[in-house]
Amino acid sequence: MKEFSVRTKKKQDMVDITGQVTDLVKHSGVSDGVCLVYVPHATAAVVINENADPNVCQDILDALARLVPEGGWRHDRIDDNAAAHIKATILGPSEAVPVRGGRLRLGTWQSLMLVELDGPRDRTVIVDVR
Ligand code: ZN
């Protein structure tokens, strides 16, 4: 199991982590198996989607903002980030990707994205290949 850090730059952001994960898969020595990508955070998530057109990522963040408006949630009385918790719960903290021939079996238009929902912060990504 390996980890790496990502420093996010905005309150809400999507950071392409496909390159870092691809390197860890390459060095794992696993030819055929599965790669788990997980973030140990309550206000961040991992998703797989397109990053060729960066507007896709912005559209996803905008859609989440429409779905979960800021303010008025019970948890906002604690640290004012309830919407981030709810969005992170909807997206989930992990993805599992098949490994075939020592490579992530992603589709042409798929990238692994860390989703920051309450940044900017330092985030940890845990990768387990087996
Ligand atoms: Zn909170």
Side-chain angles (χ1 to χ4, degrees):
M1 193 152 60
K2 300 280 187 195
E3 299 185 6
F4 63 89
S5 295
V6 174
R7 174 162 293 185
T8 61
K9 295 188 177 72
K10 294 188 270 184
K11 181 162 174 63
Q12 293 189 64
D13 202 3
M14 289 179 74
V15 181
D16 196 323
I17 56 171
T18 312
Q20 293 102 309
V21 177
T22 296
D23 285 346
L24 292 175
V25 169
K26 204 178 292 177
H27 291 111
S28 72
V30 174
S31 174
D32 291 282
V34 66
C35 174
L36 175 73
V37 183
Y38 170 84
V39 286
H41 303 294
T43 55
V46 175
V47 301
I48 296 173
N49 213 295
E50 174 174 335
N51 190 32
D53 175 7
N55 280 328
V56 173
C57 293
Q58 196 53 55
D59 284 342
I60 292 167
L61 293 175
D62 288 351
L64 286 168
R66 285 184 213 172
L67 205 59
V68 187
E70 298 275 339
W73 304 100
R74 290 172 189 83
H75 179 69
D76 287 336
R77 291 183 290 231
I78 307 294
D79 63 355
D80 200 28
N81 66 354
H85 286 284
I86 296 166
K87 292 171 188 174
T89 304
I90 291 169
L91 297 176
S94 67
E95 292 283 359
V97 185
V99 174
R100 294 290 176 265
R103 303 175 63 169
L104 289 169
R105 182 59 183 92
L106 290 169
T108 305
W109 301 106
Q110 287 182 312
S111 294
L112 275 159
M113 310 296 295
L114 166 72
V115 187
E116 174 60 75
L117 297 160
D118 192 30
R121 294 194 201 202
D122 289 324
R123 297 299 195 175
T124 299
V125 180
I126 295 173
V127 179
D128 192 15
V129 190
R130 57 181 68 214

